[in-house]
Amino acid sequence: MKNDVKIRNEMLSWYDAHARVLPWRSKPSERPDPYYVWLSEVMLQQTTVQAVVPYFEKFISIWPTVHDLASATQDDVLREWAGLGYYSRARNLYKCAQAIVSEHDGIFPNSVKTLKSLSGIGDYTSAAIASIAFDIPSVVIDGNVERVISRLHRIDAPLPDSKTIIREYAQNLFIGDNTDRPSCFAQSLMDLGATICTPKSPKCEICPISKYCVAFEHCDAQVYPKKRKKSKIPEKYGVAYIYVHDGKVGIEKRPEKGMLAGMVGFPTSEWNEDSVDNIDDDMSAYKIRHVFTHFALTLYPQIINQKTYNMIEFKEVDKIGLPTLFKKVWNMIESDL
DNA sequence: AATCCGTGGAA
DNA sequence: TTTCCAAGGAT
């Protein structure tokens, strides 16, 4: 356990010299904006800094404060979120903004417990906000921390079995004998995980804490954390109905539950594992394949020259916030209409 | 506890 | 081409 204090000190020194400059981060002398911290943390769930930066910039440009975001409509937020994926995050973001304004006087709560009661804020995000925005020592466990700790201790059990032991190690590291500069320390682990202790080719030669890393000692850091093998995802098929008339195309708002919930898109058939009737691969003019987390979809756009409800101008299509699946459809067929 | 929920980039 | 996966949360 004594190593935890040394690790913290090494990490803080390393962070002072190598911290990444990111749009949501404050300068060393300034207080972070809890709104920025929250927004960035939610956006970063299950994705990458590169994917998030333009979305973050756009959001704070349109909605500079949580009050502004709460005053928007859910459809506004979904439209701006389009392309980032996991759209329940956007709905929860909006719910959370409204709760903060209506139930917390527009002030972000500073306790893990209260933060966690808000929509879209779970174990990780509540601890991250408490640490990063308010400098409250918290146990911040994300994919980066899981990877770093798995390697430091060369944990043999695969994820998610190892989550319990990882949390024990993390407790000691985050709120053990030394809790100095919790905000910087939490962010230092994120940066280490993103730039040095990476999943595939960790740069152990330049790692500030390799001397404490059991996996480094055994020269096999890259095999940790071990993970259970994932089963293959099913292939599904469907038809997209592209109603075209007089320079306009038909769109619909999807149901509030299920895939791409609440997003706009082209009407489609159901998606199932049976290949599509009447549309042979060879006979169809178009085919879009899109891989989701739990299945891969092959969608056959079928152009229908007739009017339907809710037609919009072709040139408006790019502005309505189509999720990527339907952007792919539109990009493929637009020039042929 | 296990499943659902997106996307784009790297190797 | 295929596989893996990047700052998880809700149910």
Side-chain angles (χ1 to χ4, degrees):
Chain A
M1 295 313 110
K2 211 60 175 179
N3 277 354
D4 288 331
V5 175
K6 298 178 183 174
I7 288 170
R8 287 189 71 103
N9 290 334
E10 294 289 353
M11 288 301 296
L12 289 169
S13 297
W14 176 80
Y15 187 70
D16 288 338
H18 300 288
R20 290 176 294 173
V21 175
L22 299 170
W24 44 86
R25 282 187 175 168
S26 58
K27 302 192 189 307
S29 59
E30 296 174 355
R31 279 273 161 235
D33 183 336
Y35 173 63
Y36 282 19
V37 175
W38 164 69
L39 180 58
S40 65
E41 289 299 340
V42 173
M43 285 184 166
L44 284 161
Q45 290 167 8
Q46 297 296 99
T47 187
T48 59
V49 166
Q50 182 183 339
V52 164
V53 167
Y55 284 89
F56 178 84
E57 301 279 19
K58 188 83 181 291
F59 266 66
I60 62 168
S61 166
I62 301 173
W63 302 299
T65 70
V66 69
H67 296 89
D68 300 314
L69 184 57
S71 300
T73 67
Q74 178 175 286
D75 285 345
D76 288 337
V77 177
L78 287 176
R79 187 185 65 245
E80 295 306 324
W81 197 277
L84 241 196
Y86 286 137
Y87 298 100
S88 65
R89 292 184 297 163
R91 289 193 299 279
N92 286 145
L93 186 86
Y94 180 61
K95 275 185 214 162
C96 182
Q98 297 206 305
I100 286 172
V101 168
S102 63
E103 299 169 26
H104 298 274
D105 297 325
I107 311 289
F108 274 87
N110 62 3
S111 77
V112 168
K113 188 173 181 179
T114 308
L115 285 164
K116 201 176 157 184
S117 72
L118 295 164
S119 298
I121 299 182
D123 288 330
Y124 163 72
T125 306
S126 57
I129 295 172
S131 294
I132 297 171
F134 300 109
D135 233 17
I136 294 170
S138 312
V139 185
V140 186
I141 304 176
D142 69 337
N144 288 306
V145 173
E146 286 180 343
R147 188 167 57 254
V148 171
I149 288 182
S150 295
R151 288 170 175 172
L152 277 173
H153 297 279
R154 201 164 179 260
I155 296 172
D156 190 56
L159 285 169
D161 300 3
S162 56
K163 279 182 179 291
T164 303
I165 184 66
I166 287 173
R167 179 161 285 275
E168 286 182 28
Y169 285 128
Q171 289 266 359
N172 292 325
L173 191 57
F174 281 93
I175 53 177
D177 296 337
N178 179 358
T179 58
D180 187 35
R181 299 173 63 195
S183 175
C184 290
F185 180 62
Q187 294 181 85
S188 75
L189 287 174
M190 309 294 164
D191 282 15
L192 189 81
T195 63
I196 291 180
C197 197
T198 51
K200 292 179 182 174
S201 300
K203 302 175 177 66
C204 300
E205 329 78 56
I206 58 171
C207 176
I209 56 175
S210 62
K211 72 178 90 167
Y212 306 107
C213 183
V214 180
F216 174 68
E217 192 181 330
H218 289 259
C219 303
D220 58 3
Q222 74 285 353
V223 309
Y224 298 94
K226 294 183 177 175
K227 296 186 179 179
R228 286 226 202 80
K229 290 194 175 178
K230 296 161 189 167
S231 51
K232 287 181 183 172
I233 60 177
E235 296 283 339
K236 295 191 179 185
Y237 305 87
V239 177
Y241 305 110
I242 316 299
Y243 292 93
V244 175
H245 180 78
D246 194 23
K248 297 181 180 178
V249 62
I251 59 158
E252 67 171 16
K253 184 169 164 61
R254 297 176 59 78
E256 289 298 324
K257 296 199 173 188
M259 290 298 301
L260 310 176
M263 304 300 288
V264 293
F266 303 112
T268 74
S269 67
E270 288 188 0
W271 307 341
N272 54 52
E273 298 187 36
D274 303 321
S275 58
V276 176
D277 291 340
N278 301 324
I279 297 196
D280 198 318
D281 255 30
D282 303 327
M283 295 175 60
S284 73
Y286 308 101
K287 178 168 73 170
I288 283 94
R289 187 164 186 278
H290 189 72
V291 181
F292 295 107
T293 307
H294 290 285
F295 63 92
L297 176 67
T298 301
L299 200 55
Y300 300 91
Q302 181 179 325
I303 296 171
I304 302 166
N305 289 300
Q306 69 181 59
K307 209 184 287 186
T308 183
Y309 59 93
N310 204 7
M311 307 284 289
I312 66 168
E313 301 280 347
F314 288 172
K315 64 180 178 182
E316 299 299 316
V317 172
D318 291 326
K319 306 174 187 174
I320 60 172
L322 289 179
T324 300
L325 168 65
F326 295 115
K327 273 184 196 159
K328 284 185 185 177
V329 171
W330 184 245
N331 287 341
M332 179 167 285
I333 67 173
E334 181 183 10
S335 60
D336 291 352
L337 296 180

